[in-house]
Amino acid sequence: MAVRQQSVPVAERTTSQVQRASRAGLAGLGASLQTIGIIALKELRTYFTSWMAYALIAVYLFIAGFIYWVVVGRMSHSLPLSPFFAELAIILMFIVPLLTMRLLAEEKSTGTVELLLTSPVTDWQVVLGKFFGVFGVHTVLVLLTAHFPIMLFKWGNVDKGIIWSSYLSLWLTGGIFLSIGLWASSLTDSQVVSGFLAFGVLLMLWLVNIFGFTMQNAFGEFCRHVSVLSHLEDMTSGVIDTKDLVYCVSVIGFFLFWAKQVLESRKWK
């Protein structure tokens, strides 16, 4: 006697396939994030097991303290802190090239980049891991300046909303600078060249900001729209606009994409 097989409905088979694909996708995403985290932690350990991170942190805090004393300490305690945060962003223009110049240039000069690229990691994982590693150092720098506004909370009259938006702007501006530095480091195997290239690009961005506020024409308006520091000034005034957030994330993504493209091009040489 023939046994009649019971067919599985098409909708049930489709749902099962979607669920398996979803689980596989989540597992792949989790493994990718884990790889990025491993690379980022390795970078963090590299920074904090050498003298460079501590020296840069000490210099940064010393200059930040001096600027705070000049801009805020000698004036009214109700003074807006936007000039203080603008000066901190300018300090980052000098600090960031020193932080990022070794990220990929050192790997190239020692030949370890070839091992890294032939290992079972993607170019995006390498770029994002390196970026989040150095971004962690930048986050530590930003957090270590928190005692300055805390003093004003105790003895002065400060809008807490402006403080939060100012720190967000400084954090994101540092992310933009770091992505530029990482891109510059991907272009050469010389740390010195990488550092000067990153500083040159950051200096150009600062000059674009000057042109934007000194030239009252269409070119000046264009410079104000593309200037990093002009978006910083908007946020330090307490206004967090979606266009500023989109701008910061877009610029970071743009330079990380080109850093990834440079790494990918090495596979074809």
Side-chain angles (χ1 to χ4, degrees), residues 100-140:
T100 59
M101 65 182 185
R102 54 160 296 276
L103 283 176
L104 290 170
E106 184 181 49
E107 302 273 10
K108 291 182 178 182
S109 62
T110 58
T112 55
V113 69
E114 306 298 338
L115 297 175
L116 189 63
L117 295 178
T118 54
S119 60
V121 295
T122 65
D123 296 332
W124 269 121
Q125 289 170 346
V126 173
V127 170
L128 291 177
K130 295 277 187 180
F131 174 75
F132 284 121
V134 72
F135 195 68
V137 180
H138 164 62
T139 302
V140 171

mmCIF file of all heavy atoms in Angstrom, residues 100-140:
data_model
loop_
_atom_site.group_PDB
_atom_site.id
_atom_site.type_symbol
_atom_site.label_atom_id
_atom_site.label_comp_id
_atom_site.label_asym_id
_atom_site.label_seq_id
_atom_site.Cartn_x
_atom_site.Cartn_y
_atom_site.Cartn_z
ATOM 1 N N THR A 100 46.849 59.365 15.018
ATOM 2 C CA THR A 100 46.445 58.521 13.882
ATOM 3 C C THR A 100 47.583 58.169 12.935
ATOM 4 O O THR A 100 47.411 57.296 12.082
ATOM 5 C CB THR A 100 45.341 59.218 13.074
ATOM 6 O OG1 THR A 100 45.829 60.482 12.588
ATOM 7 C CG2 THR A 100 44.107 59.456 13.927
ATOM 8 N N MET A 101 48.730 58.823 13.046
ATOM 9 C CA MET A 101 49.766 58.642 12.030
ATOM 10 C C MET A 101 50.301 57.209 11.967
ATOM 11 O O MET A 101 50.795 56.763 10.932
ATOM 12 C CB MET A 101 50.918 59.613 12.278
ATOM 13 C CG MET A 101 51.678 59.396 13.563
ATOM 14 S SD MET A 101 52.971 60.658 13.764
ATOM 15 C CE MET A 101 53.783 60.048 15.256
ATOM 16 N N ARG A 102 50.168 56.452 13.047
ATOM 17 C CA ARG A 102 50.704 55.095 13.076
ATOM 18 C C ARG A 102 49.664 54.023 12.746
ATOM 19 O O ARG A 102 50.022 52.858 12.559
ATOM 20 C CB ARG A 102 51.271 54.777 14.467
ATOM 21 C CG ARG A 102 50.287 55.001 15.602
ATOM 22 C CD ARG A 102 50.682 54.234 16.850
ATOM 23 N NE ARG A 102 50.635 52.808 16.596
ATOM 24 C CZ ARG A 102 49.524 52.086 16.681
ATOM 25 N NH1 ARG A 102 48.368 52.671 16.968
ATOM 26 N NH2 ARG A 102 49.558 50.788 16.458
ATOM 27 N N LEU A 103 48.400 54.381 12.649
ATOM 28 C CA LEU A 103 47.336 53.384 12.584
ATOM 29 C C LEU A 103 47.546 52.365 11.467
ATOM 30 O O LEU A 103 47.539 51.159 11.704
ATOM 31 C CB LEU A 103 45.977 54.077 12.405
ATOM 32 C CG LEU A 103 45.394 54.718 13.669
ATOM 33 C CD1 LEU A 103 44.109 55.454 13.341
ATOM 34 C CD2 LEU A 103 45.147 53.675 14.744
ATOM 35 N N LEU A 104 47.729 52.836 10.247
ATOM 36 C CA LEU A 104 47.965 51.942 9.115
ATOM 37 C C LEU A 104 49.360 52.099 8.529
ATOM 38 O O LEU A 104 49.891 51.161 7.939
ATOM 39 C CB LEU A 104 46.915 52.185 8.027
ATOM 40 C CG LEU A 104 45.491 51.731 8.393
ATOM 41 C CD1 LEU A 104 44.489 52.219 7.364
ATOM 42 C CD2 LEU A 104 45.420 50.211 8.527
ATOM 43 N N ALA A 105 49.954 53.292 8.694
ATOM 44 C CA ALA A 105 51.298 53.509 8.154
ATOM 45 C C ALA A 105 52.316 52.583 8.813
ATOM 46 O O ALA A 105 53.208 52.039 8.150
ATOM 47 C CB ALA A 105 51.705 54.976 8.348
ATOM 48 N N GLU A 106 52.181 52.377 10.123
ATOM 49 C CA GLU A 106 53.099 51.485 10.825
ATOM 50 C C GLU A 106 52.921 50.046 10.358
ATOM 51 O O GLU A 106 53.890 49.301 10.203
ATOM 52 C CB GLU A 106 52.865 51.587 12.329
ATOM 53 C CG GLU A 106 53.839 50.765 13.156
ATOM 54 C CD GLU A 106 53.554 50.870 14.642
ATOM 55 O OE1 GLU A 106 52.384 50.700 15.036
ATOM 56 O OE2 GLU A 106 54.499 51.128 15.403
ATOM 57 N N GLU A 107 51.665 49.644 10.144
ATOM 58 C CA GLU A 107 51.401 48.291 9.647
ATOM 59 C C GLU A 107 52.058 48.085 8.281
ATOM 60 O O GLU A 107 52.592 47.012 7.990
ATOM 61 C CB GLU A 107 49.890 48.071 9.530
ATOM 62 C CG GLU A 107 49.118 48.252 10.824
ATOM 63 C CD GLU A 107 49.060 46.980 11.643
ATOM 64 O OE1 GLU A 107 49.773 46.016 11.307
ATOM 65 O OE2 GLU A 107 48.311 46.961 12.636
ATOM 66 N N LYS A 108 52.021 49.120 7.440
ATOM 67 C CA LYS A 108 52.624 49.010 6.110
ATOM 68 C C LYS A 108 54.143 48.958 6.184
ATOM 69 O O LYS A 108 54.789 48.187 5.482
ATOM 70 C CB LYS A 108 52.189 50.190 5.235
ATOM 71 C CG LYS A 108 50.730 50.173 4.848
ATOM 72 C CD LYS A 108 50.399 51.359 3.944
ATOM 73 C CE LYS A 108 48.950 51.340 3.507
ATOM 74 N NZ LYS A 108 48.623 52.457 2.603
ATOM 75 N N SER A 109 54.729 49.801 7.023
ATOM 76 C CA SER A 109 56.194 49.869 7.100
ATOM 77 C C SER A 109 56.801 48.595 7.675
ATOM 78 O O SER A 109 57.901 48.190 7.304
ATOM 79 C CB SER A 109 56.625 51.073 7.943
ATOM 80 O OG SER A 109 56.155 50.945 9.275
ATOM 81 N N THR A 110 56.074 47.930 8.579
ATOM 82 C CA THR A 110 56.576 46.686 9.176
ATOM 83 C C THR A 110 56.150 45.443 8.399
ATOM 84 O O THR A 110 56.618 44.349 8.698
ATOM 85 C CB THR A 110 56.080 46.558 10.625
ATOM 86 O OG1 THR A 110 54.648 46.585 10.644
ATOM 87 C CG2 THR A 110 56.626 47.700 11.478
ATOM 88 N N GLY A 111 55.253 45.621 7.424
ATOM 89 C CA GLY A 111 54.799 44.492 6.620
ATOM 90 C C GLY A 111 53.671 43.699 7.230
ATOM 91 O O GLY A 111 53.185 42.737 6.625
ATOM 92 N N THR A 112 53.202 44.100 8.418
ATOM 93 C CA THR A 112 52.130 43.344 9.069
ATOM 94 C C THR A 112 50.777 43.593 8.424
ATOM 95 O O THR A 112 49.833 42.835 8.665
ATOM 96 C CB THR A 112 52.051 43.711 10.563
ATOM 97 O OG1 THR A 112 51.903 45.136 10.692
ATOM 98 C CG2 THR A 112 53.295 43.267 11.302
ATOM 99 N N VAL A 113 50.663 44.653 7.618
ATOM 100 C CA VAL A 113 49.387 44.913 6.957
ATOM 101 C C VAL A 113 49.046 43.797 5.977
ATOM 102 O O VAL A 113 47.867 43.471 5.770
ATOM 103 C CB VAL A 113 49.413 46.288 6.249
ATOM 104 C CG1 VAL A 113 50.348 46.276 5.044
ATOM 105 C CG2 VAL A 113 48.005 46.683 5.811
ATOM 106 N N GLU A 114 50.064 43.192 5.365
ATOM 107 C CA GLU A 114 49.806 42.095 4.432
ATOM 108 C C GLU A 114 49.217 40.895 5.173
ATOM 109 O O GLU A 114 48.297 40.236 4.690
ATOM 110 C CB GLU A 114 51.100 41.687 3.720
ATOM 111 C CG GLU A 114 51.827 42.841 3.034
ATOM 112 C CD GLU A 114 50.997 43.476 1.936
ATOM 113 O OE1 GLU A 114 50.075 42.805 1.432
ATOM 114 O OE2 GLU A 114 51.267 44.637 1.572
ATOM 115 N N LEU A 115 49.762 40.608 6.367
ATOM 116 C CA LEU A 115 49.209 39.516 7.171
ATOM 117 C C LEU A 115 47.790 39.832 7.616
ATOM 118 O O LEU A 115 46.919 38.956 7.655
ATOM 119 C CB LEU A 115 50.101 39.269 8.396
ATOM 120 C CG LEU A 115 51.531 38.808 8.111
ATOM 121 C CD1 LEU A 115 52.310 38.727 9.428
ATOM 122 C CD2 LEU A 115 51.532 37.450 7.415
ATOM 123 N N LEU A 116 47.569 41.122 7.936
ATOM 124 C CA LEU A 116 46.253 41.531 8.404
ATOM 125 C C LEU A 116 45.209 41.392 7.308
ATOM 126 O O LEU A 116 44.092 40.917 7.529
ATOM 127 C CB LEU A 116 46.313 42.978 8.903
ATOM 128 C CG LEU A 116 45.080 43.525 9.626
ATOM 129 C CD1 LEU A 116 44.830 42.738 10.901
ATOM 130 C CD2 LEU A 116 45.270 44.998 9.945
ATOM 131 N N LEU A 117 45.587 41.786 6.092
ATOM 132 C CA LEU A 117 44.641 41.762 4.982
ATOM 133 C C LEU A 117 44.406 40.356 4.444
ATOM 134 O O LEU A 117 43.383 40.105 3.801
ATOM 135 C CB LEU A 117 45.133 42.688 3.860
ATOM 136 C CG LEU A 117 45.189 44.184 4.211
ATOM 137 C CD1 LEU A 117 45.727 44.987 3.040
ATOM 138 C CD2 LEU A 117 43.804 44.691 4.606
ATOM 139 N N THR A 118 45.370 39.447 4.650
ATOM 140 C CA THR A 118 45.175 38.071 4.187
ATOM 141 C C THR A 118 44.549 37.185 5.253
ATOM 142 O O THR A 118 44.227 36.028 4.980
ATOM 143 C CB THR A 118 46.529 37.455 3.762
ATOM 144 O OG1 THR A 118 47.469 37.574 4.845
ATOM 145 C CG2 THR A 118 47.082 38.169 2.538
ATOM 146 N N SER A 119 44.392 37.697 6.462
ATOM 147 C CA SER A 119 43.717 36.946 7.517
ATOM 148 C C SER A 119 42.206 37.009 7.273
ATOM 149 O O SER A 119 41.730 37.818 6.480
ATOM 150 C CB SER A 119 44.061 37.538 8.892
ATOM 151 O OG SER A 119 43.649 38.889 8.958
ATOM 152 N N PRO A 120 41.440 36.152 7.947
ATOM 153 C CA PRO A 120 39.986 36.118 7.698
ATOM 154 C C PRO A 120 39.237 37.303 8.293
ATOM 155 O O PRO A 120 38.322 37.154 9.103
ATOM 156 C CB PRO A 120 39.563 34.796 8.362
ATOM 157 C CG PRO A 120 40.568 34.576 9.429
ATOM 158 C CD PRO A 120 41.867 35.100 8.879
ATOM 159 N N VAL A 121 39.648 38.513 7.934
ATOM 160 C CA VAL A 121 38.925 39.723 8.313
ATOM 161 C C VAL A 121 38.738 40.557 7.050
ATOM 162 O O VAL A 121 39.543 40.494 6.118
ATOM 163 C CB VAL A 121 39.685 40.543 9.378
ATOM 164 C CG1 VAL A 121 39.784 39.775 10.678
ATOM 165 C CG2 VAL A 121 41.065 40.959 8.898
ATOM 166 N N THR A 122 37.682 41.343 7.028
ATOM 167 C CA THR A 122 37.412 42.179 5.862
ATOM 168 C C THR A 122 38.092 43.531 6.020
ATOM 169 O O THR A 122 38.520 43.919 7.119
ATOM 170 C CB THR A 122 35.908 42.383 5.696
ATOM 171 O OG1 THR A 122 35.409 43.138 6.820
ATOM 172 C CG2 THR A 122 35.178 41.046 5.626
ATOM 173 N N ASP A 123 38.182 44.260 4.916
ATOM 174 C CA ASP A 123 38.777 45.597 4.954
ATOM 175 C C ASP A 123 37.974 46.522 5.866
ATOM 176 O O ASP A 123 38.542 47.346 6.589
ATOM 177 C CB ASP A 123 38.847 46.190 3.546
ATOM 178 C CG ASP A 123 39.753 45.392 2.627
ATOM 179 O OD1 ASP A 123 40.697 44.769 3.140
ATOM 180 O OD2 ASP A 123 39.519 45.389 1.403
ATOM 181 N N TRP A 124 36.656 46.395 5.828
ATOM 182 C CA TRP A 124 35.820 47.223 6.682
ATOM 183 C C TRP A 124 36.072 46.929 8.157
ATOM 184 O O TRP A 124 36.080 47.845 8.987
ATOM 185 C CB TRP A 124 34.346 47.010 6.364
ATOM 186 C CG TRP A 124 33.790 47.931 5.330
ATOM 187 C CD1 TRP A 124 33.211 47.594 4.144
ATOM 188 C CD2 TRP A 124 33.749 49.369 5.395
ATOM 189 N NE1 TRP A 124 32.828 48.726 3.463
ATOM 190 C CE2 TRP A 124 33.135 49.822 4.203
ATOM 191 C CE3 TRP A 124 34.177 50.304 6.323
ATOM 192 C CZ2 TRP A 124 32.939 51.172 3.935
ATOM 193 C CZ3 TRP A 124 33.984 51.658 6.062
ATOM 194 C CH2 TRP A 124 33.371 52.072 4.879
ATOM 195 N N GLN A 125 36.271 45.671 8.497
ATOM 196 C CA GLN A 125 36.544 45.325 9.890
ATOM 197 C C GLN A 125 37.857 45.933 10.363
ATOM 198 O O GLN A 125 37.961 46.413 11.494
ATOM 199 C CB GLN A 125 36.559 43.808 10.055
ATOM 200 C CG GLN A 125 35.193 43.163 9.935
ATOM 201 C CD GLN A 125 35.254 41.653 9.869
ATOM 202 O OE1 GLN A 125 36.329 41.072 9.662
ATOM 203 N NE2 GLN A 125 34.123 40.985 10.026
ATOM 204 N N VAL A 126 38.863 45.925 9.497
ATOM 205 C CA VAL A 126 40.153 46.534 9.838
ATOM 206 C C VAL A 126 39.986 48.030 10.045
ATOM 207 O O VAL A 126 40.435 48.596 11.060
ATOM 208 C CB VAL A 126 41.196 46.256 8.743
ATOM 209 C CG1 VAL A 126 42.479 47.034 9.016
ATOM 210 C CG2 VAL A 126 41.490 44.768 8.650
ATOM 211 N N VAL A 127 39.328 48.700 9.092
ATOM 212 C CA VAL A 127 39.171 50.155 9.162
ATOM 213 C C VAL A 127 38.341 50.556 10.376
ATOM 214 O O VAL A 127 38.726 51.458 11.145
ATOM 215 C CB VAL A 127 38.535 50.682 7.861
ATOM 216 C CG1 VAL A 127 38.128 52.147 8.015
ATOM 217 C CG2 VAL A 127 39.502 50.538 6.700
ATOM 218 N N LEU A 128 37.202 49.897 10.582
ATOM 219 C CA LEU A 128 36.345 50.251 11.711
ATOM 220 C C LEU A 128 37.001 49.909 13.044
ATOM 221 O O LEU A 128 36.866 50.659 14.025
ATOM 222 C CB LEU A 128 34.998 49.537 11.584
ATOM 223 C CG LEU A 128 34.098 50.005 10.440
ATOM 224 C CD1 LEU A 128 32.828 49.168 10.383
ATOM 225 C CD2 LEU A 128 33.747 51.479 10.582
ATOM 226 N N GLY A 129 37.720 48.783 13.107
ATOM 227 C CA GLY A 129 38.415 48.431 14.335
ATOM 228 C C GLY A 129 39.470 49.462 14.703
ATOM 229 O O GLY A 129 39.576 49.885 15.865
ATOM 230 N N LYS A 130 40.260 49.862 13.710
ATOM 231 C CA LYS A 130 41.277 50.887 13.950
ATOM 232 C C LYS A 130 40.630 52.209 14.377
ATOM 233 O O LYS A 130 41.112 52.882 15.301
ATOM 234 C CB LYS A 130 42.092 51.111 12.679
ATOM 235 C CG LYS A 130 42.921 49.915 12.229
ATOM 236 C CD LYS A 130 44.237 49.851 12.962
ATOM 237 C CE LYS A 130 45.138 48.772 12.407
ATOM 238 N NZ LYS A 130 46.432 48.695 13.114
ATOM 239 N N PHE A 131 39.548 52.569 13.689
ATOM 240 C CA PHE A 131 38.884 53.845 13.990
ATOM 241 C C PHE A 131 38.317 53.856 15.401
ATOM 242 O O PHE A 131 38.531 54.810 16.159
ATOM 243 C CB PHE A 131 37.774 54.108 12.973
ATOM 244 C CG PHE A 131 36.939 55.321 13.296
ATOM 245 C CD1 PHE A 131 37.440 56.592 13.078
ATOM 246 C CD2 PHE A 131 35.660 55.173 13.828
ATOM 247 C CE1 PHE A 131 36.670 57.713 13.394
ATOM 248 C CE2 PHE A 131 34.896 56.276 14.133
ATOM 249 C CZ PHE A 131 35.393 57.555 13.916
ATOM 250 N N PHE A 132 37.585 52.806 15.775
ATOM 251 C CA PHE A 132 36.967 52.794 17.104
ATOM 252 C C PHE A 132 38.021 52.687 18.207
ATOM 253 O O PHE A 132 37.800 53.170 19.323
ATOM 254 C CB PHE A 132 35.964 51.656 17.206
ATOM 255 C CG PHE A 132 34.677 51.918 16.484
ATOM 256 C CD1 PHE A 132 34.250 51.079 15.462
ATOM 257 C CD2 PHE A 132 33.904 53.019 16.808
ATOM 258 C CE1 PHE A 132 33.067 51.330 14.790
ATOM 259 C CE2 PHE A 132 32.718 53.275 16.139
ATOM 260 C CZ PHE A 132 32.295 52.439 15.123
ATOM 261 N N GLY A 133 39.163 52.091 17.893
ATOM 262 C CA GLY A 133 40.238 52.044 18.872
ATOM 263 C C GLY A 133 40.758 53.427 19.208
ATOM 264 O O GLY A 133 40.843 53.813 20.384
ATOM 265 N N VAL A 134 41.093 54.195 18.172
ATOM 266 C CA VAL A 134 41.609 55.545 18.413
ATOM 267 C C VAL A 134 40.487 56.474 18.876
ATOM 268 O O VAL A 134 40.731 57.431 19.618
ATOM 269 C CB VAL A 134 42.306 56.087 17.143
ATOM 270 C CG1 VAL A 134 41.299 56.436 16.060
ATOM 271 C CG2 VAL A 134 43.167 57.299 17.468
ATOM 272 N N PHE A 135 39.251 56.185 18.474
ATOM 273 C CA PHE A 135 38.117 56.977 18.949
ATOM 274 C C PHE A 135 37.924 56.796 20.451
ATOM 275 O O PHE A 135 37.462 57.711 21.143
ATOM 276 C CB PHE A 135 36.853 56.574 18.190
ATOM 277 C CG PHE A 135 35.712 57.536 18.340
ATOM 278 C CD1 PHE A 135 35.781 58.804 17.789
ATOM 279 C CD2 PHE A 135 34.562 57.168 19.021
ATOM 280 C CE1 PHE A 135 34.731 59.690 17.924
ATOM 281 C CE2 PHE A 135 33.507 58.043 19.158
ATOM 282 C CZ PHE A 135 33.589 59.320 18.603
ATOM 283 N N GLY A 136 38.283 55.626 20.957
ATOM 284 C CA GLY A 136 38.234 55.406 22.396
ATOM 285 C C GLY A 136 39.215 56.304 23.139
ATOM 286 O O GLY A 136 38.899 56.837 24.207
ATOM 287 N N VAL A 137 40.416 56.488 22.557
ATOM 288 C CA VAL A 137 41.389 57.397 23.168
ATOM 289 C C VAL A 137 40.845 58.821 23.169
ATOM 290 O O VAL A 137 40.963 59.557 24.160
ATOM 291 C CB VAL A 137 42.732 57.333 22.414
ATOM 292 C CG1 VAL A 137 43.743 58.283 23.043
ATOM 293 C CG2 VAL A 137 43.276 55.911 22.408
ATOM 294 N N HIS A 138 40.251 59.218 22.050
ATOM 295 C CA HIS A 138 39.649 60.562 21.965
ATOM 296 C C HIS A 138 38.542 60.732 22.995
ATOM 297 O O HIS A 138 38.420 61.803 23.620
ATOM 298 C CB HIS A 138 39.104 60.771 20.548
ATOM 299 C CG HIS A 138 38.152 61.921 20.431
ATOM 300 N ND1 HIS A 138 38.517 63.221 20.690
ATOM 301 C CD2 HIS A 138 36.829 61.954 20.078
ATOM 302 C CE1 HIS A 138 37.472 64.016 20.501
ATOM 303 N NE2 HIS A 138 36.442 63.278 20.141
ATOM 304 N N THR A 139 37.739 59.699 23.207
ATOM 305 C CA THR A 139 36.662 59.771 24.196
ATOM 306 C C THR A 139 37.231 59.985 25.598
ATOM 307 O O THR A 139 36.677 60.752 26.392
ATOM 308 C CB THR A 139 35.815 58.490 24.155
ATOM 309 O OG1 THR A 139 35.276 58.318 22.838
ATOM 310 C CG2 THR A 139 34.670 58.557 25.148
ATOM 311 N N VAL A 140 38.333 59.314 25.901
ATOM 312 C CA VAL A 140 38.993 59.519 27.196
ATOM 313 C C VAL A 140 39.456 60.973 27.335
ATOM 314 O O VAL A 140 39.278 61.602 28.386
ATOM 315 C CB VAL A 140 40.187 58.556 27.349
ATOM 316 C CG1 VAL A 140 41.008 58.905 28.590
ATOM 317 C CG2 VAL A 140 39.714 57.117 27.422
#
